[in-house]
Amino acid sequence: MSTTAPQQSPGTHLDRLDGFVPADAAGVVIVDLDALAGNWRALRDLVAPAACAAVVKANGYGLGADRVIPALCAAGADTFFVATLAEARQARALVADATATVYVLDGVLPGSGQALHDAGAIPVISSLPEAKEWAALAPSRNEPMACAFHVDSGLNRLGLSAREIRALASDMHTMDRVQVRLVMSHLACADDPGHEKNTQQLDVFRTLQPLLPSAPLSIAASDGLMLGPDYHLDLVRPGYALYGGQALPGRITPVKPVVEAYARVLQIRELAPGQSVGYSASFVANRITRVAVIAAGYGDGLPRHLSAATGQTAGHVAFGGRRAPIVGRVSMDLITVDITDLEGHAPDRGDWAELIGQSISLEDVGAACGTIGYEILTRLSPRFARVYLGGGDGTGTQGT
Ligand SMILES: *Cc1c(COP(=O)(O)O)cnc(C)c1O
């Protein structure tokens, strides 16, 4: 279920959503498409003269590729990265501009080359067999197959090794039948600016890249682009930062939050000292404790590791800017939070608890349960109603 609200506004959007959040929604994710568009433009300006792509894999980081991609197009993005062929088909259908590029990070799965080609997508090739399979689809030397090459500079995940690059470079049958649009690599430790691996990987990339045909170069994602101009090369590939994420601890990426999530208070109850709350009775009240029962749980994407047993603190929600700790286990559909200390800000039945927003960032939620904001973002489940603000084109409205 998704709706479009009429107006964008800074700060918290919840108070402006009367009539737009479905009355029966237990939880809602609000996606500010104008903030998303603004973030892409801010990063574009930050890295100029390098170009700025947009990474929209995993359904636009969970926010809805069908809304995210058109908003980024309206902002001016024309180069997109997805992970899979299915995502590429969807992206291709959503980008109006036929000249826009859709790269597939997974590359050519065995036997999928023709389908990838038919989808109008360009594979990011990470191995010799992939390169051969892709080149074999070229009808002739005069009609080479467009591709990107992924160089492994030390992440040891996807990418061509130095040995494979040398073998490829001397394989003229293959090289004559591909047209290299981009040569890229990916950093392992870009979220740690002082890490020696950053400069090492840049050096390895600069050494290996000349063995391949000359093409625009790219190494930085959201965190890497904050390491400075040395890492911008010709193209940067942010994902998380577009969606408001702060990928680099200690350095502020100039982006605005895009996502807020709220869920309803279903009930308020009072525990006497010695009473427990939730599964396994993991939290036992040591005082008279007021508890709000909230309609969101791990079935909505809130990790169960946000649970807090007696004496522990893990996840929080917020009411009117005041944080309240989760107590007891996160269950599939519910969390329980201690609102005893909220005094004047205590919620009533039907009020909205902030799960992600002005008081609780994506990074806060990730840190509270031993993961990263990325995982929280991409796992927000479809059970939350989605409300989209703005259209990414600066006009502030867009119909569904
Ligand atoms: C996911 C991904 C990105 C985007 O990363 P963010 O940290 O979300 O900006 C860029 N490049 C590659 C190869 C990726 O897999």
Side-chain angles (χ1 to χ4, degrees):
M1 179 191 300
S2 93
T3 357
T4 297
Q7 257 196 333
Q8 57 157 334
S9 70
T12 179
H13 292 298
L14 190 63
D15 46 354
R16 310 200 174 215
L17 292 179
D18 283 352
F20 292 95
V21 179
D24 57 355
V28 59
V29 173
I30 300 168
V31 182
D32 185 340
L33 296 173
D34 288 335
L36 171 74
N39 290 346
W40 183 81
R41 289 194 208 96
L43 296 179
R44 173 198 63 190
D45 295 346
L46 180 73
V47 303
C52 188
V55 181
V56 294
K57 60 197 182 187
N59 192 29
Y61 284 53
L63 298 184
D66 57 333
R67 303 305 295 266
V68 158
I69 292 174
L72 290 166
C73 285
D78 65 1
T79 304
F80 297 88
F81 286 85
V82 295
T84 68
L85 173 55
E87 291 173 357
R89 285 199 188 98
Q90 185 192 19
R92 197 73 259 181
L94 290 163
V95 291
D97 181 357
T99 65
T101 304
V102 177
Y103 286 112
V104 178
L105 290 164
D106 281 357
V108 186
L109 261 63
S112 78
Q114 189 61 52
L116 201 71
H117 181 64
D118 294 345
I122 300 185
V124 178
I125 290 176
S126 292
S127 70
L128 219 45
E130 268 178 89
K132 289 186 180 177
E133 191 167 334
W134 188 241
L137 293 172
S140 75
R141 280 168 169 232
N142 300 330
E143 297 160 274
M145 301 290 288
C147 67
F149 279 132
H150 192 162
V151 172
D152 177 35
S153 56
L155 180 61
N156 284 307
R157 201 177 60 174
L158 287 177
L160 296 150
S161 66
R163 193 174 46 76
E164 280 186 301
I165 290 169
R166 292 201 180 86
L168 185 60
S170 59
D171 176 352
M172 293 324 291
H173 184 82
T174 299
M175 292 311 287
D176 278 351
R177 286 167 179 76
V178 295
Q179 179 199 53
V180 187
R181 296 269 192 92
L182 180 73
V183 176
M184 56 170 267
S185 192
H186 198 46
L187 297 166
C189 304
D191 60 347
D192 179 1
H195 204 290
E196 60 181 9
K197 217 167 155 78
N198 295 323
T199 50
Q200 281 170 4
Q201 284 194 258
L202 192 58
D203 288 346
V204 170
F205 186 49
R206 284 192 184 286
T207 310
L208 294 176
Q209 157 270 311
L211 303 176
L212 292 166
S214 166
L217 304 178
S218 175
I219 198 168
S222 297
D223 44 10
L225 71 86
M226 290 302 294
L227 296 177
D230 284 354
Y231 292 83
H232 296 166
L233 305 179
D234 300 304
L235 179 78
V236 299
R237 310 185 306 268
Y240 189 54
L242 296 176
Y243 309 99
Q246 293 290 334
L248 195 65
R251 231 175 251 194
I252 294 173
T253 307
V255 291
K256 297 203 173 98
V258 169
V259 187
E260 293 168 37
Y262 300 87
R264 297 257 199 205
V265 174
L266 298 179
Q267 195 177 100
I268 310 282
R269 57 193 313 126
E270 200 167 276
L271 303 182
Q275 283 190 308
S276 68
V277 62
Y279 286 130
S280 305
S282 67
F283 176 87
V284 179
N286 63 2
R287 58 173 179 170
I288 295 173
T289 303
R290 286 179 70 75
V291 167
V293 182
I294 295 165
Y298 61 77
D300 301 283
L302 297 183
R304 196 162 164 279
H305 285 92
L306 292 168
S307 303
T310 311
Q312 296 177 339
T313 308
H316 287 82
V317 305
F319 297 98
R322 301 273 301 270
R323 287 158 68 107
I326 294 176
V327 290
R329 290 275 161 86
V330 173
S331 50
M332 190 184 298
D333 318 308
L334 299 168
I335 51 176
T336 38
V337 306
D338 183 348
I339 57 166
T340 316
D341 297 326
L342 290 188
E343 288 144 16
H345 295 81
D348 292 323
R349 170 174 172 262
D351 283 353
W352 292 97
E354 176 190 319
L355 309 173
I356 300 165
Q358 282 201 308
S359 303
I360 299 171
S361 69
L362 277 169
E363 288 72 35
D364 290 339
V365 182
C369 57
T371 183
I372 53 176
Y374 287 72
E375 191 176 351
I376 304 302
L377 185 61
T378 52
R379 286 182 161 215
L380 293 172
S381 97
R383 188 159 65 177
F384 284 116
R386 297 293 202 271
V387 173
Y388 293 92
L389 303 175
D393 53 3
T395 63
T397 61
Q398 185 180 309
T400 37

